[in-house]
Amino acid sequence: MPGSPPPHPRTQETALGWDWHTGAVFSSPTIAHIPSSLVRTGVTQLKAGSFLRVPSLHLLLFTSNSFSVIEDDAFAGLSHLQYLFIEDNEIGSISKNALRGLRSLTHLSLANNHLETLPRFLFRGLETLIHVDLRGNPFQCDCRVLWLLQWIPTVNASVGTGACAGPAALAHMQLHHLDPKTFKCRAIELSWFQTVGESALGVEAFSYQGEPHVVLAQPFAGRCLILTWDYSLQSFRQEEELSAPSVVSCKPLVLGPRLFVLAARLWGGSQLWARPGPDLRLAPLQALAPRRLLRPNDAELLWLDGQPCFVVADASKAGSTTLLCRDGPGFYPRQSLHAWHRDTDAEALELDGRPHLLLASASQRPVLFHWFGGRFERRTDIPEAEDVYATRHFQASGDVFLCLTRYIGDSMVMRWDGSMFRLLQQLPSRGAHVFQPLLIARDQLAILGSDFAFSQVFRLEPDRGLLEPLQELGPPALVAPRAFAHITMAGRRFLFAACFKGPTQIYQHHELDLSA
């Protein structure tokens, strides 16, 4: 062990005295070259500045005392202290700045106390330490000790850590045998931030002229409402709205300075709006496939052969799901898909390096199409997936996953195996219209909205490859949620929840460090 053992104050020839300020017996060795020391017993508290009257101490020993807390700056003024032994006491808590200012400390012992954890940065500024003894404490080896495990390899000191007292799975395991990489000490929370009046069926995030925006499809208000961030009020505000009675989806597309918004409407025909430049307002550009889109239910954007296209899922018996691609100034029908099947949802995705399209229908299982020869051709359907209302996909660790929404029965998670999607997980979802994956910061989330219960947030656990429950959304509770979107604004992350029977709610994403 580096360094020489300290002179024990009770074995030295000393002259005893009483310090009226601290109420302690102190000893001054009669041999001049041995540093002054102080032994304290019967102490009931250790407050800030307890030793300001004895700044020349080099050794301090506490043993068999009844105090349970060491406060901040308890040893202030002891810049020459080298040896600090606080052993066999009843200490259950020590403040993070308790050891502040001990810049000469070489030996520290907190052995045989009641410490279950130590505050982060407790040893900050103690650059001269060569030995630390923490043995004999009932440490709880959870996230609160992670910082200690990470600190030990970084210091030029020997550290006696002792064994874990809990949790049960780690009881009696030596702390130095624990692997910091196995600790999961980062958590997230979605907390309410703002309410946007009027119900909505859809919400989409997009960036225009370098600024994030959100557009809401509000059928009862008869509009597509565009929101942006108000830097003065630190909240979202209305930027522009376009008239769209009975709208079910507002799908934005940005091409340089131009902004397009496809407004899919149940009645009156779907329209494409355009803004030629940032200083202009949106204006109607064209009617979209009026003979094919009779009852649109969803719209998606995709790129095919380098050109932007929209696909609009039509839920009427007489209409048909239609692919609209850019041709000159507007967007025109390129292909009709899935006629007579009353499609409820479209999802564009890439598999095996090629564009694919997945259509959910009220009449059959979801059908997967692939782009071949300038058109979509049927490839396969999704087995064991009856009564699927909508599908959404996400990618994680090189795999492609599907979230399939079912109003009755269990919603499902599937994974692509190279030839088809295979069932991976089932989640109870009575009354669900949306099961939407979102990648927020480092977290792959999936939100299962319900008309009859709280909406559930799940997080993908990389080790297991499964979605695990994270939290319920609310309060306020979501009333018939239909879509979710996230946006990053001014360094903050927000989740929008569009609700059919209530206002849109905005939640803020927070990261929590459980090891703090």
Side-chain angles (χ1 to χ4, degrees):
M1 182 173 62
S4 59
H8 200 289
R10 288 173 290 186
T11 63
Q12 302 294 326
E13 183 181 356
T14 61
L16 298 179
W18 178 262
D19 186 285
W20 292 98
H21 177 73
T22 63
V25 176
F26 69 89
S27 58
S28 256
T30 57
I31 303 173
H33 69 274
I34 298 178
S36 58
S37 59
L38 189 149
V39 181
R40 302 192 69 171
T41 60
V43 178
T44 59
Q45 56 185 347
L46 201 55
K47 294 185 175 182
S50 296
F51 302 95
L52 292 175
R53 297 284 297 273
V54 284
S56 61
L57 287 177
H58 284 219
L59 184 148
L60 187 56
L61 170 67
F62 295 88
T63 183
S64 302
N65 293 285
S66 61
F67 63 88
S68 59
V69 177
I70 304 177
E71 297 184 3
D72 282 343
D73 298 308
F75 306 101
L78 299 182
S79 59
H80 302 291
L81 191 70
Q82 295 178 334
Y83 303 95
L84 177 60
F85 299 93
I86 310 175
E87 301 173 341
D88 300 295
N89 298 286
E90 299 179 3
I91 302 168
S93 175
I94 180 169
S95 299
K96 68 177 182 179
N97 295 317
L99 306 178
R100 182 161 53 189
L102 298 180
R103 59 176 181 265
S104 301
L105 194 67
T106 59
H107 291 71
L108 171 67
S109 177
L110 298 172
N112 302 319
N113 286 288
H114 297 166
L115 293 166
E116 294 187 354
T117 186
L118 295 173
R120 180 181 287 192
F121 306 125
L122 176 64
F123 305 127
R124 180 168 54 185
L126 308 184
E127 306 296 338
T128 57
L129 277 176
I130 58 177
H131 180 70
V132 179
D133 191 354
L134 304 174
R135 294 172 296 177
N137 286 288
F139 285 118
Q140 293 297 310
C141 295
D142 51 25
C143 287
R144 292 172 295 173
V145 303
L146 177 59
W147 77 268
L148 180 61
L149 301 179
Q150 295 170 332
W151 172 80
I152 290 173
T154 67
V155 294
N156 187 28
S158 61
V159 183
T161 54
C164 303
L170 298 176
H172 309 301
M173 181 177 291
Q174 295 293 314
L175 264 72
H176 64 266
H177 289 160
L178 299 177
D179 183 359
K181 295 179 181 178
T182 63
F183 283 72
K184 299 183 183 300
C185 297
R186 179 182 165 273
I188 64 170
E189 180 182 73
L190 293 163
S191 60
W192 179 84
F193 177 76
Q194 185 181 345
T195 297
V196 178
E198 302 292 343
S199 61
L201 276 176
V203 56
E204 299 282 347
F206 66 99
S207 179
Y208 181 68
Q209 296 296 299
E211 286 292 325
H213 292 73
V214 170
V215 58
L216 295 167
Q218 297 182 325
F220 298 129
R223 64 184 180 180
C224 292
L225 177 65
I226 298 177
L227 303 176
T228 189
W229 181 254
D230 189 314
Y231 287 91
S232 298
L233 299 177
Q234 291 292 293
S235 61
F236 291 93
R237 63 169 176 80
Q238 177 178 334
E239 180 183 84
E240 188 175 357
E241 66 177 76
L242 56 91
S243 177
S246 69
V247 66
V248 296
S249 179
C250 302
K251 182 64 65 171
L253 167 65
V254 177
L255 297 176
R258 305 192 71 186
L259 170 64
F260 299 89
V261 178
L262 183 152
R265 301 164 54 194
L266 289 177
W267 300 286
S270 298
Q271 288 182 307
L272 185 68
W273 291 62
R275 178 192 289 174
D279 298 326
L280 302 174
R281 300 185 65 82
L282 284 159
L285 180 65
Q286 68 174 113
L288 296 171
R291 297 183 180 181
R292 305 188 193 195
L293 301 178
L294 303 182
R295 191 183 175 188
N297 204 68
D298 182 39
E300 295 296 329
L301 172 68
L302 66 164
W303 289 76
L304 300 169
D305 299 331
Q307 289 295 321
C309 299
F310 294 102
V311 59
V312 182
D314 193 273
S316 69
K317 290 184 177 180
S320 63
T321 294
T322 302
L323 178 68
L324 303 141
C325 293
R326 191 181 186 198
D327 186 1
F331 286 76
Y332 300 93
R334 176 81 172 264
Q335 183 182 358
S336 291
L337 297 129
H338 226 213
W340 310 104
H341 286 301
R342 294 186 297 160
D343 295 329
T344 55
D345 181 79
E347 175 73 350
L349 66 161
E350 186 173 288
L351 296 171
D352 309 324
R354 291 183 296 166
H356 283 67
L357 181 65
L358 189 60
L359 297 180
S361 169
S363 61
Q364 64 178 14
R365 293 182 298 192
V367 176
L368 183 67
F369 296 82
H370 66 118
W371 186 249
F372 182 78
R375 58 185 291 109
F376 278 110
E377 299 286 350
R378 179 185 174 115
R379 179 171 180 178
T380 185
D381 61 7
I382 308 298
E384 304 175 8
E386 307 292 343
D387 301 318
V388 172
Y389 177 78
T391 64
R392 292 291 182 267
H393 82 285
F394 66 94
Q395 293 183 333
S397 301
D399 290 323
V400 179
F401 298 82
L402 276 185
C403 292
L404 294 91
T405 310
R406 300 177 73 200
Y407 187 78
I408 301 175
D410 294 341
S411 290
M412 295 177 285
V413 181
M414 292 187 167
R415 182 169 54 200
W416 179 251
D417 70 358
S419 60
M420 66 175 59
F421 284 99
R422 305 281 186 182
L423 180 63
L424 182 66
Q425 190 175 4
Q426 291 181 296
L427 299 170
S429 61
R430 179 174 174 265
H433 278 92
V434 57
F435 184 20
Q436 188 159 341
L438 295 167
L439 182 63
I440 304 181
R442 295 175 285 169
D443 301 297
Q444 180 59 64
L445 307 181
I447 307 176
L448 186 58
S450 173
D451 286 7
F452 306 123
F454 282 103
S455 296
Q456 295 281 344
V457 183
F458 297 85
R459 179 167 57 182
L460 183 70
E461 292 296 334
D463 295 340
R464 300 182 61 200
L466 298 175
L467 292 175
E468 300 289 346
L470 181 65
Q471 72 169 89
E472 294 178 341
L473 276 181
L478 303 180
V479 186
R482 291 295 182 268
F484 300 94
H486 74 93
I487 186 173
T488 299
M489 178 66 69
R492 301 156 71 181
R493 294 177 288 270
F494 298 96
L495 172 73
F496 281 71
C499 298
F500 180 56
K501 296 182 180 179
T504 294
Q505 303 292 352
I506 307 174
Y507 298 87
Q508 186 169 354
H509 174 275
H510 301 278
E511 294 190 46
L512 308 176
D513 184 358
L514 301 181
S515 67

